[in-house]
């Protein structure tokens, strides 16, 4: 691993970066809440090694792409911003895999994104993806509540139904590591 891939800013640096890029106040509050939830989940994991520092900073920066766009491509934009700034590839991956329950190639195509898989693979990616679903704005919700809101807004689309199954599977996987 090159040195560049390891650069992980501290909490203050990450929050300052969000401020510098004029992130909306509500997004910053959401990101801090996600960090709290993600750390709470991480603290319950006993059967796997979890990088809690990566969890905290990754959560704070997961929506950094929203300084450019609020479309689904904010995930990719976020990854790009972090790579350009020389931060850890692990942080960029966290941005890219946090949407819904992650996106497979088919989902990416449907959303007009480059046809690649953006699925959470590492335990840190999975925890942050799940924590993001469990925090709507700054409010803690269940996966059921989160998806019910999306279903009433966008309908029970195949992509949302698939995402729900995928994030439930991730939640089960993490519970099995407790
Ligand atoms: Fe996001």
């Amino acid at each position: 691993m090159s040195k560049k891939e390891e650069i992980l800013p501290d909490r203050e640096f990450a929050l300052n970066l969000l401020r510098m890029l004029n992130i909306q106040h509500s997004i910053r509050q959401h990101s801090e809440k996600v960090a709290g939830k993600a750390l709470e989940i991480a603290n319950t994991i006993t059967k796997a090694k979890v990088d809690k520092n990566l969890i905290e900073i990754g959560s704070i920066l997961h929506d950094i792409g929203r300084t450019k766009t609020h479309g689904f491509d904010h995930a990719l934009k976020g990854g790009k911003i972090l790579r350009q700034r020389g931060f850890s590839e692990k942080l960029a991956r966290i941005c890219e895999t946090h949407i819904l329950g992650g996106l497979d190639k088919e989902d990416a195509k449907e959303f007009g994104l480059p046809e690649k898989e953006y699925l959470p693979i590492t335990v840190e990616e999975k925890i942050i993806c799940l924590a993001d679903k469990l925090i709507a704005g700054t409010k803690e919700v269940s996966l059921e509540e989160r998806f019910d809101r999306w279903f009433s807004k966008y309908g029970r689309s195949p992509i949302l139904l698939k995402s729900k199954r995928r994030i439930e599977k991730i939640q089960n996987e993490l519970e099995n590591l407790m």
Side-chain angles (χ1 to χ4, degrees):
M1 191 187 281
S2 76
K3 202 173 175 197
K4 183 180 162 189
E5 285 174 309
E6 292 166 22
I7 297 175
L8 194 65
D10 65 16
R11 182 185 175 91
E12 207 185 319
F13 193 101
L15 287 169
N16 278 336
L17 177 60
L18 293 182
R19 275 188 213 109
M20 198 184 82
L21 295 176
N22 290 320
I23 198 149
Q24 279 175 25
H25 185 60
S26 59
I27 304 290
R28 209 178 74 218
Q29 283 180 316
H30 161 73
S31 302
E32 288 193 65
K33 275 271 184 190
V34 170
K37 187 69 202 172
L39 282 172
E40 188 186 308
I41 298 169
N43 284 330
T44 64
I45 306 277
T46 58
K47 295 181 190 155
K49 200 167 166 271
V50 185
D51 184 340
K52 289 180 191 164
N53 206 12
L54 178 63
I55 289 274
E56 182 177 29
I57 307 307
S59 298
I60 288 172
L61 296 176
H62 81 281
D63 265 343
I64 195 168
R66 286 189 185 268
T67 56
K68 301 276 179 211
T69 173
H70 289 294
F72 280 115
D73 57 338
H74 77 263
L76 272 65
K77 287 262 186 331
K80 198 174 163 195
I81 291 169
L82 296 175
R83 282 196 191 91
Q84 278 173 345
R85 290 181 176 268
F87 291 137
S88 170
E89 176 62 23
K90 292 176 191 170
L91 283 180
R93 281 270 314 165
I94 285 169
C95 281
E96 289 171 348
T97 59
H98 85 270
I99 298 271
L100 299 175
L103 306 176
D104 61 23
K105 274 187 193 176
E106 201 185 353
D107 304 333
K109 188 179 177 188
E110 194 162 329
F111 290 139
L113 303 174
E115 281 177 58
K116 268 175 59 186
E117 281 197 340
Y118 307 95
L119 296 169
I121 307 284
T122 66
V123 68
E124 290 85 4
E125 287 164 5
K126 287 177 182 173
I127 288 172
I128 293 172
C129 185
L130 175 62
D132 181 48
K133 304 300 99 62
L134 297 175
I135 302 291
T138 54
K139 190 174 172 270
E140 192 161 345
V141 292
S142 64
L143 284 183
E144 285 299 323
E145 289 169 322
R146 188 66 191 262
F147 276 85
D148 280 349
R149 282 191 203 185
W150 278 331
F151 289 148
S152 51
K153 206 166 162 190
Y154 304 107
R156 297 177 74 86
S157 68
I159 208 163
L160 276 180
L161 289 165
K162 189 165 70 171
S163 290
K164 185 168 185 253
R165 285 195 297 273
R166 203 185 279 136
I167 198 75
E168 282 170 346
K169 188 168 167 254
I170 287 172
Q171 192 175 42
N172 280 334
E173 282 169 14
L174 293 173
E175 277 168 7
N176 286 332
L177 294 176
M178 287 176 185

